[in-house]
Amino acid sequence: MISLMLFDPVKEMTGVTFPILMFLLSGIIILTLSRIFLCIWQRNRVSNVQGWKVIFISGLRMDIVSMCYLLILPCLITPLVIGVPYLSQIWLIILPVWITFGFWLLVYMEAATPFFIKEYDVRPNRFFVEYLIYPKEVMSMMWSGYKLELALGLIISLATVYFGWIFSNYLVQDLQTPSWYWRPVIALSTVAMCVLGARSTLGHRAINPSMIAFSHDNLMNDLPLNSSYSVLYAMKLMRKIVDSSTIYPTMKADDIIHIVQENSQLTPKAFTQPLLPTLAYHQASNTGKRKNIVILLQESLGARFVGGLGGLPLTPNLDKLMQESWNLTRLYATGTRSIRGIEAVTTGFFPTPANAVVKLPKSQNNFYSIAQTLKAENYHTQFIYAGESHFDNMKGFLLGNGFVDIQDLPTFHNPEFIGSWGACDEDLYNKAHEQFNLLTEQDKPFLSLVFTTTNHSPYDYPQGKIEPYNQPAATRENTVKYSDFALGQFLEQAKKSDYWDDTIFVLVADHDSRAYGDQMVPIDCFHIPAVIFGGGITAHEDNRLVSQLDLPPTLLSMAGISAYHPMIGYDLTKEVDEHKQRAIMQYHHNFAWLNNDNHAIVFQPNKDIMTFHYDPTSHILIPSKLPDNEIKTANAFALWGSMSYKQDFYQWNKIESAQHKISQQ
């Protein structure tokens, strides 16, 4: 308390505003110290973008914004009630709680930031919030693999609450009571200053992260923020659907539709429904017996972990499979989350700056997926997952959109090993093999989406199955190696089964383990393996530039399903013009379009379009002027996903109705 008494002269000068002023200054000091640490930690990247000055100047601005938001209510109430009987006593209890909570929020979020950056290469954002929705899975994961982080978080939280409570109680002691006529003046003045500080501009729009973005490196653009602001801003965006037309350069709807149709594999005459502009009839390449479809969706398996794609020597079984099958060597993920991968491989829907359709409100039922088409063709449609399928709303989305059978952890009988995210991959593949045999015995054609869990932090897997690649045992590399071991066992079973010859399999990753680096969009972190195999598949290496979006129409074609659908991904069993080959990547709110000439076009929220040449060897984006027609094409597709969602171009009932009308003509 002796040290706190040093502030007494300041308390006398500032009167009733003393706790507000001291909270403001203390918060700014805490956030600045955190930013100093983060910048020193990432000093090479800060220096590469010449960011030292701009990060701290913009950072001070954003810290003032954050603190002003926290102080608006205390600024309004404190001058009005201090000294008023009863009200004063109540507020002098609430105010220290408010200040203590504010200190805890600031300190805890900054303490969590380095661990989040290590995983996602950005400050805590909506992913941080979304994981909190699933406390059982997240706490299990944290307890299994992040005990040190949990202990540090608890210690930091308790220490912050303890010292924050002592400090905040000192701040509210013996406050001078202003005269009655000064009360509203002080309240209105301080509130007005806080509002101005929170807006940080006299312009029409208040400050937002895009206003202080200065670099092609997303983490560097995040460092001027603080993590409390970053998370709260993400929560604000989560309450509304982010429409690409509000943050990317706009185009006329007719121009967007024309470009989208022009870049398909079909002629313009194939699109006959103005209200469903991409609905068209797609003739399957397979005109013989219909096939089952199995999608083996691999958790976090980037190309850098796959020996057959030039990565680490962790996947001998997958490498061998690539030699025996249709190997797509240049396939790119559409995003960095599992639900984005599910969106791509089941619906062929273009990514948007909003969440994946797996979690958007209008797509929870009656939304197109290949399961809708296959269910209408009397296929049994199922999802096999070794964890809790409600996670990330997978179960609700899939059941609402054509899948009828969910085989998740509660349906597994005596699994050998259960980790933080569910049963191990051996258990998953045993379950899948059991289901495929059962459906084959019942003579039911089937679609099965099989989603692995093992290659996810905290990297739980049964010991003694593999020779570890590195130490400690619980590393991403070792789980990749174990997952490949489990895949090898499944392939041995499947090749001897009755369903092998009648099934089209595709093994594809949902995304890389993490996307990181100082590039505006780290394109190399979107490169993933994809291999199509099964009875009758001819082995060949396919070096075309393709996307996850191209897999669902390709699978329908290979399975022998000719149908109307709205997907604009390519049927890879057919020729794709070189100038039409492309990859699409959504990286947070940035949208990237890469074409076969390694021309990359990047759209950022409320920023000018950026054009580059992508060097596939160094993985560097080199600023370059590109043809206007390429930019216009990329712009149309950057807007297409949001336009499709908003105007219901993927609504299944509309598609069925259109099909019925066409058949009657």
Side-chain angles (χ1 to χ4, degrees), residues 178-195:
S179 301
W180 65 269
Y181 47 85
W182 281 113
R183 292 176 185 273
V185 175
I186 296 172
L188 292 175
S189 299
T190 53
V191 167
M193 292 176 65
C194 280
V195 170

Side-chain angles (χ1 to χ4, degrees), residues 255-296:
D255 291 340
I256 295 172
I257 292 170
H258 173 72
I259 289 172
V260 168
Q261 293 177 345
E262 191 177 54
N263 279 271
S264 74
Q265 289 173 297
L266 304 176
T267 64
K269 293 181 180 179
F271 304 101
T272 61
Q273 303 297 308
L275 298 180
L276 297 169
T278 59
L279 182 67
Y281 185 75
H282 296 260
Q283 179 66 49
S285 295
N286 173 19
T287 56
K289 182 181 178 181
R290 290 185 169 186
K291 301 273 191 172
N292 308 312
I293 296 175
V294 173
I295 302 171
L296 302 178

Side-chain angles (χ1 to χ4, degrees), residues 84-111:
V84 177
Y86 301 113
L87 290 178
S88 181
Q89 288 90 325
I90 295 172
W91 182 243
L92 289 177
I93 295 173
I94 296 174
L95 183 57
V97 172
W98 185 280
I99 293 173
T100 301
F101 170 77
F103 279 134
W104 173 82
L105 176 66
L106 298 177
V107 172
Y108 178 79
M109 290 307 306
E110 294 304 311

